């Protein structure tokens, strides 16, 4: 019997199948039965007793994806799994990582508490919105970086006069890592918001004239910020503008905005399912091999950090 097995939630099966394929094992069998009122039941259809189980499920909206993962963890624990790892290519609610105004919840801490209460032994995720979320857990968090899949693609573009840019000051650290790796200059955008998902004003810090710009972000939601930043780059003389984001949330009207923007291309991972047919400018890269390699390293008790090109 395999010492570990991989199972999938409903909405992340596409990436779980690729992870299992890269591991050279079949995807575990489970059944999720839905009742008429919307309630659902999770059942493993093969033994997990004494097995290390990896449960693949990104927790993008709606909330069913999170609750499905919680039920999977609970079912594995009650079926006497040796260890339970939640594999979350996209960790939802990560933008609510602190009290930035009075009387608000810290949702990412609540999600961490729920996962631990359900019985998870470790978490495997990628490009958290805020690194501090790792500290919300009292179990190991293996935090992967999408740079491992993005860098080879950027190199394949063979862009001359390239600069790396961040669409906001908060993403400066992430963008600076790419700038250091490629030995290019860093450009920052400073934005002011009236409210969530609405950018009031944006200014640019740095020179993009006659440059090929790559905007780096962890996620694209409504695409308001990234499109405004792209327009700003073009207005300041950029030769081309591409956007790179780990998670394609892509809430309406994001695809329409991107298609109507000066962006030449947007590059995502498949941490969240996205149909690139909705946006011809989108390129989607698989993270299945990255997660499969990491699972192998965990089981072989070897270093995970060795797979990072940079953090």
């Amino acid at each position: 019997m395999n010492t570990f097995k991989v199972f999938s939630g409903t909405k992340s099966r596409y990436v779980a199948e690729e992870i299992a394929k890269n591991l050279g094992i079949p995807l575990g069998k489970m059944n999720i039965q839905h009742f008429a009122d919307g309630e659902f039941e999770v059942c493993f259809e093969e033994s997990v007793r004494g097995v290390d189980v990896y449960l693949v499920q990104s927790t993008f909206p709606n909330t069913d994806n999170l609750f499905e993962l919680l039920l999977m963890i609970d079912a594995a624990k009650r079926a006497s799994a040796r260890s339970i790892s939640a594999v979350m290519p996209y960790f939802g609610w990560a933008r609510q990582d602190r009290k930035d105004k009075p009387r608000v919840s810290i949702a990412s801490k609540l999600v961490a508490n729920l996962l631990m209460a359900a019985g998870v032994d470790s978490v495997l995720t990628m490009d958290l919105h805020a690194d501090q979320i790792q500290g919300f857990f009292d179990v190991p968090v293996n935090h992967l970086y999408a740079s491992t899949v993005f860098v080879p693609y950027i190199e394949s573009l063979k862009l001359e006069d390239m600069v790396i840019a961040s669409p906001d000051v908060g993403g400066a650290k992430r963008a600076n890592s790419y700038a250091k790796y490629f030995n290019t200059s860093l450009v920052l955008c400073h934005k002011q918001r009236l409210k969530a998902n609405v950018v009031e004003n944006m200014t640019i810090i740095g020179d993009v004239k006659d440059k090929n710009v790559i905007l780096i972000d962890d996620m694209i939601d409504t695409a308001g910020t990234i499109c405004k930043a792209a327009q700003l780059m073009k207005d300041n003389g950029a030769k081309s503008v591409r956007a790179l984001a780990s998670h394609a949330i892509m809430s309406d009207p994001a695809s329409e905005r991107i298609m109507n923007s000066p962006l030449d291309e947007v590059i995502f991972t498949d941490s969240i399912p996205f149909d690139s047919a909705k946006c011809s400018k989108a390129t989607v890269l698989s993270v299945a091999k990255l997660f499969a390699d990491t699972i192998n390293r965990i089981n072989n008790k070897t270093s995970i950090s060795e797979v990072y090109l940079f953090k």
Side-chain angles (χ1 to χ4, degrees):
M1 184 178 69
N2 286 326
T3 57
F4 70 94
K5 294 183 180 181
V6 176
F7 296 88
S8 174
T10 304
K11 295 294 178 68
S12 292
R13 189 176 180 88
Y14 68 98
V15 70
E17 288 175 342
E18 289 300 311
I19 290 172
K21 183 179 178 180
N22 276 277
L23 288 167
I25 62 173
L27 187 63
K29 297 176 183 177
M30 67 182 309
N31 180 49
I32 300 175
Q33 178 183 355
H34 289 259
F35 300 101
D37 63 351
E39 184 179 328
F40 50 87
E41 176 187 70
V42 169
C43 176
F44 289 92
E45 296 193 323
E46 58 186 87
S47 175
V48 295
R49 184 178 298 275
V51 172
D52 298 320
V53 298
Y54 293 86
L55 309 176
V56 183
Q57 180 79 310
S58 286
T59 54
F60 52 92
N62 59 40
T63 314
D64 282 0
N65 295 316
L66 171 60
F67 200 72
E68 193 176 276
L69 176 58
L70 294 172
L71 292 182
M72 289 164 66
I73 294 168
D74 184 69
K77 181 178 68 174
R78 296 177 188 280
S80 302
R82 182 166 62 183
S83 70
I84 304 166
S85 298
V87 181
M88 306 168 69
Y90 171 70
F91 186 97
W93 286 272
R95 285 173 284 186
Q96 301 176 56
D97 61 326
R98 65 195 183 284
K99 285 191 71 173
D100 56 354
K101 55 187 174 183
R103 299 175 296 280
V104 296
S105 66
I106 304 178
S108 53
K109 171 58 177 169
L110 176 60
V111 171
N113 287 345
L114 289 169
L115 290 166
M116 290 187 293
V120 77
D121 294 297
S122 68
V123 173
L124 182 56
T125 189
M126 182 184 75
D127 280 5
L128 288 167
H129 184 68
D131 287 348
Q132 70 198 47
I133 292 170
Q134 297 171 74
F136 294 169
F137 287 89
D138 295 324
V139 297
V141 176
N142 296 298
H143 187 204
L144 307 185
Y145 296 88
S147 56
T148 306
V149 296
F150 282 141
V151 165
Y153 183 80
I154 294 172
E155 290 174 336
S156 74
L157 297 174
K158 301 186 187 308
L159 296 174
E160 297 180 356
D161 301 317
M162 184 175 73
V163 296
I164 300 296
S166 174
D168 55 41
V169 176
K173 180 182 176 183
R174 181 183 299 106
N176 188 51
S177 296
Y178 282 83
K180 282 184 176 179
Y181 182 86
F182 288 107
N183 193 28
T184 65
S185 56
L186 176 66
V187 174
L188 299 178
C189 294
H190 175 63
K191 67 182 179 184
Q192 294 175 304
R193 287 190 184 275
L194 281 173
K195 56 182 179 179
N197 294 131
V198 179
V199 179
E200 178 185 15
N201 186 41
M202 183 178 284
T203 54
I204 189 171
I205 305 169
D207 180 27
V208 297
K209 186 173 176 58
D210 297 324
K211 303 289 186 181
N212 291 302
V213 180
I214 297 184
L215 287 156
I216 308 289
D217 211 345
D218 66 315
M219 63 179 70
I220 294 179
D221 190 350
T222 61
T225 295
I226 209 77
C227 289
K228 198 174 186 71
Q231 186 63 60
L232 192 61
M233 299 295 167
K234 278 288 188 177
D235 292 343
N236 281 268
K239 195 185 304 181
S240 70
V241 185
R242 288 173 171 81
L244 182 155
S246 304
H247 310 297
I249 300 175
M250 295 295 283
S251 307
D252 288 335
S255 292
E256 182 182 348
R257 282 178 173 168
I258 287 172
M259 290 302 297
N260 295 328
S261 76
L263 282 164
D264 295 272
E265 183 182 21
V266 287
I267 306 148
F268 302 118
T269 75
D270 59 353
S271 63
I272 297 175
F274 177 69
D275 183 4
S276 55
K278 294 180 180 178
C279 179
S280 61
K281 292 183 178 182
T283 299
V284 180
L285 306 178
S286 174
V287 293
K289 188 176 186 304
L290 173 62
F291 277 91
D293 287 348
T294 304
I295 290 170
N296 259 330
R297 286 173 177 271
I298 291 171
N299 281 283
N300 294 328
K301 296 178 174 59
T302 57
S303 172
I304 294 173
S305 60
E306 290 177 1
V307 303
Y308 303 149
L309 293 176
F310 59 86
K311 299 181 181 181

